[in-house]
Amino acid sequence: MGTCSADLAALLGPNATAIAAADYICNKFSDASFAVDNTYLLFSAYLNFFMQLGFAMLCAGSVRSKNAISVMLTNVLDAAIAGLFYYLFGFAFAFGSPSNGGFIGRHNFGLESIPSSSFDYSNFLYHWAFAVSAAGIASGSMAERTQFVAYLIYSSFLTGFVYPVVSHWFWATDGWATAFRVDNGFLFGSGVIDFAGSGVVHMVGGVAGFWGALIEGPRVGRFDSSGRSVALRDHNATLVVLGTFILWFGWYGFNPGSFNKISGFYTSGNHYGQWSAVGRTAVTTTLAGCTSALTTLFGKWILTSHWDVTDFCSGLLGGFAAITAGCSVVEPWAAIICGFVAALVLISCNKLAEKVKYDDPLGAAQLHGGCGAWGVIFTALFASEKYVREVYPSRPVRYGLFMGGGGRLLAAHIIQILVIVGWVSATMGTLFYFLHKFGHLRVSADDEMADMDLTRQGRLAYVDHDEDESQKQGFK
């Protein structure tokens, strides 16, 4: 603001009136900039939250028809639980700086001091939608056999504590591994570049879902008596495609929205600024998803001789999950590499899961956990020096190994993968173990083999005969 006022005052003239006018004009521009940035972040938050409808449709289509209502209830439940627990605890644990040793935030419980110079209500809304996404990923892995009370407990714990702690480590200005630190205490002199959360969101949800599904065990009938895989087919590919398109649309809030603002200049008086980086991020997101989708489609055709739209959709989402970490700091051509490898990772993880008799109805742990981990590594290999300087101006210039930046960023990102797996395993794995031990994790075999919608929800998602007898008689 001082530079703006001084430059404008020099143009208006060397007198008190000119200086006052310059201050007034620059302050008004500053107010307008804050309004534009908050509006941009709110719109991104709405897109981000709209993804929950995509998750609901994807999940409903990916399970058997007898469990459609149950799985959609868990998606609504995740959003509602996260709304309360992220408000009461999660946002404070994530961004309540100054923190305890960079581990966990300790201020702003219940949004106590919001708005402030650092945060507005739009920041809470945006990151709440991220928390819901992490919980939704885990719900998909555990679909078709989990008790309602288990969803209540683990969703509260994940969104109110486990996920916020991880986001504090890598996104808060004083997190121990963040690239946003205001001092020089960067991990390996670098910090972690996980721009929109391949690790923070996708790996957290994927690892949590992995432990839940592993401890529960496979669905009844998923593997026969000899251990061979039995396909429990998704019941509605239309819903899967609809959910995928909604998620694709929402990802333009998930990734580009993580800039939190759009009005900054990179070079004064130039056409190039933060808005250009926002656009580039949308492009890299698109290219990674499209490449992964096509690679998965053709890869599965080579393996099975079938063109499968659900494989295409899974590949698309795997590419999006992978590019999320580096979407703002890589070139568009690098995003194509990211998507290609993400497809191979996804296919390999799914084959491995089948081999070890691991059952995940949506393949969520493989998609979000496996592709998310690849995305973290990819960023450490291909981050561009120019874009890192622009997006992270306060950090030491450490960029991708393959771009000439050395290995420090890669070392930091390997640490990120290890600590996320360790933290989520220690917290969510322990929780799922005790829920299972005390009989609160999985439904009974009888309920699972029957219609869970009917036995647990008291109704069916689809009614074959929607006319009662009196209606039928009226047509005679």
Side-chain angles (χ1 to χ4, degrees):
M1 214 63 276
T3 301
C4 172
S5 299
D7 291 345
L8 188 57
L11 295 174
L12 294 176
N15 56 70
T17 302
I19 294 173
D23 286 339
Y24 176 80
I25 293 171
C26 288
N27 284 330
K28 287 299 181 182
F29 274 119
S30 178
D31 293 343
S33 178
F34 281 127
V36 168
D37 288 339
N38 268 283
T39 301
Y40 172 71
L41 185 57
L42 279 172
F43 180 70
S44 298
Y46 303 151
L47 284 177
N48 203 345
F49 180 65
F50 188 57
M51 294 176 75
Q52 303 315 311
L53 175 59
F55 275 124
M57 296 299 97
L58 180 69
C59 290
S62 297
V63 300
R64 291 164 290 180
S65 59
K66 65 181 183 178
N67 299 319
I69 289 180
S70 296
V71 76
M72 284 192 286
L73 175 61
T74 64
N75 281 272
V76 180
L77 188 70
D78 288 334
I81 288 176
L84 289 177
F85 280 83
Y86 199 72
Y87 163 76
L88 292 172
F89 311 107
F91 190 77
F93 289 149
F95 299 104
S97 300
S99 63
N100 288 321
F103 178 78
I104 188 171
R106 53 190 176 93
H107 298 283
N108 297 330
F109 289 97
L111 305 185
E112 180 182 13
S113 300
I114 306 296
S116 67
S117 60
S118 301
F119 297 107
D120 209 315
Y121 292 110
S122 54
N123 296 99
F124 163 79
L125 197 70
Y126 187 76
H127 286 283
W128 158 69
F130 271 174
V132 180
S133 296
I137 293 166
S139 297
S141 296
M142 302 169 63
E144 296 201 285
R145 72 259 204 214
T146 305
Q147 290 191 37
F148 183 72
V149 67
Y151 283 117
L152 290 173
I153 295 171
Y154 88 72
S155 186
S156 305
F157 188 52
L158 180 61
T159 59
F161 179 66
V162 177
Y163 163 77
V165 169
V166 176
S167 58
H168 182 82
W169 295 347
F170 303 109
W171 285 346
T173 55
D174 59 348
W176 65 268
T178 185
F180 296 103
R181 290 188 73 96
V182 293
D183 57 25
N184 292 318
F186 293 95
L187 178 65
F188 291 113
S190 169
V192 168
I193 298 177
D194 188 2
F195 183 72
S198 289
V200 174
V201 179
H202 294 284
M203 279 194 66
V204 167
V207 174
F210 168 79
W211 282 109
L214 182 68
I215 292 172
E216 279 186 321
R219 290 166 292 172
V220 173
R222 179 64 178 87
F223 300 96
D224 64 18
S225 57
S226 62
R228 289 177 297 184
S229 174
V230 176
L232 302 180
R233 292 291 182 186
D234 49 85
H235 86 280
N236 195 323
T238 302
L239 288 179
V240 173
V241 173
L242 174 62
T244 300
F245 268 113
I246 292 173
L247 288 167
W248 188 342
F249 180 64
W251 232 291
Y252 294 126
F254 201 101
N255 284 3
S258 291
F259 279 96
N260 293 341
K261 57 184 180 180
I262 195 172
S263 64
F265 285 89
Y266 289 148
T267 305
S268 180
N270 199 296
H271 64 278
Y272 182 66
Q274 188 107 309
W275 53 87
S276 304
V278 168
R280 184 184 66 247
T281 299
V283 169
T284 57
T285 299
T286 303
L287 291 175
C290 293
T291 304
S292 182
L294 291 170
T295 305
T296 304
L297 180 68
F298 283 98
K300 292 295 294 229
W301 177 80
I302 292 172
L303 294 173
T304 65
S305 300
H306 291 101
W307 304 104
D308 193 332
V309 68
T310 58
D311 290 335
F312 184 87
C313 291
S314 294
L316 184 79
L317 299 178
F320 288 155
I323 195 61
T324 296
C327 54
S328 66
V329 295
V330 299
E331 295 282 1
W333 60 261
I336 295 175
I337 297 174
C338 177
F340 179 78
V341 177
L344 302 182
V345 170
L346 179 61
I347 293 172
S348 300
C349 286
N350 284 335
K351 295 294 288 184
L352 178 62
E354 187 174 311
K355 188 176 183 64
V356 300
K357 300 180 181 58
Y358 170 78
D359 181 24
D360 183 328
L362 275 79
Q366 301 94 292
L367 193 159
H368 297 276
C371 294
W374 156 241
V376 171
I377 296 297
F378 161 78
T379 305
L381 300 177
F382 288 95
S384 161
E385 178 183 8
K386 175 186 176 183
Y387 299 149
V388 169
R389 287 181 184 274
E390 293 170 351
V391 179
Y392 298 92
S394 63
R395 72 187 289 280
V397 183
R398 310 290 184 192
Y399 49 99
L401 176 64
F402 292 168
M403 309 300 286
R408 291 194 177 190
L409 183 60
L410 178 60
H413 281 216
I414 292 173
I415 293 297
Q416 182 192 19
I417 292 173
L418 294 176
V419 297
I420 287 177
V421 172
W423 168 252
V424 179
S425 298
T427 52
M428 297 302 296
T430 301
L431 175 66
F432 288 134
Y433 171 78
F434 281 107
L435 286 173
H436 177 70
K437 185 177 180 63
F438 291 105
H440 297 305
L441 184 60
R442 184 166 181 160
V443 299
S444 68
D446 290 340
D447 280 354
E448 185 180 342
M449 294 177 68
D451 292 346
M452 279 186 63
D453 286 353
L454 193 60
T455 59
R456 295 284 166 162
Q457 315 302 332
R459 58 176 299 178
L460 295 173
Y462 305 98
V463 180
D464 293 330
H465 304 287
D466 56 0
E467 295 176 328
D468 59 27
E469 278 306 310
S470 62
Q471 287 178 313
K472 292 178 181 178
Q473 292 172 1
F475 287 99
K476 292 181 179 180

